[in-house]
């Protein structure tokens, strides 16, 4: 087994027919360490204002932590504006190989 996997083939098999370089990159939200939920404070402001449902809460020991689904995120920035701790920043979407 000396074959090297081809990332282009993998994208094709997963249904991603266009190359990531050809698709326009929309900004995506990223949650920083100053998020209130990371410090034990229950805050769901980002989830409440997200019209696309990209902000999901994951249950962890001690509460729930927000997570942004990059494929669902439209880059509108509503969550960033609603965050009381200014923990959400808009950044360019990263390619997942």
């Amino acid at each position: 087994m000396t074959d090297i996997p081809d990332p282009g083939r993998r994208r094709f098999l997963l249904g991603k027919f266009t190359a990531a370089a050809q698709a326009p990159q929309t900004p995506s939200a990223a949650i920083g360490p100053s998020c209130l939920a990371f410090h034990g404070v229950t805050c769901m402001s980002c989830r409440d204002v997200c019209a696309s449902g990209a902000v999901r809460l994951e249950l962890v020991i001690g509460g729930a932590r927000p997570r942004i689904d990059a494929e669902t995120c439209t880059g509108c920035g509503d969550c960033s504006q609603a965050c009381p701790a200014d923990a959400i920043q808009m950044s360019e979407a990263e390619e997942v190989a």
Side-chain angles (χ1 to χ4, degrees):
M1 291 280 168
T2 60
D3 294 335
I4 298 172
D6 178 20
R9 183 173 183 263
R10 179 183 170 141
R11 276 194 295 271
F12 178 77
L13 292 173
L14 293 174
K16 299 176 183 175
F17 301 110
T18 59
Q22 296 173 353
Q25 295 292 323
T26 58
S28 180
I31 301 173
S34 62
C35 177
L36 295 176
F38 296 156
H39 299 283
V41 178
T42 302
C43 176
M44 298 180 191
S45 299
C46 55
R47 185 202 65 176
D48 292 342
V49 299
C50 183
S52 65
V55 179
R56 309 252 170 89
L57 294 175
E58 295 179 334
L59 294 177
V60 295
I61 295 175
R65 304 285 167 94
R67 180 183 60 85
I68 307 250
D69 183 10
E71 291 184 13
T72 310
C73 182
T74 61
C76 66
D78 288 344
C79 58
S80 178
Q81 295 173 2
C83 181
D86 198 29
I88 302 176
Q89 302 298 321
M90 302 307 293
S91 62
E92 292 300 318
E94 297 177 4
E95 180 182 344
V96 178

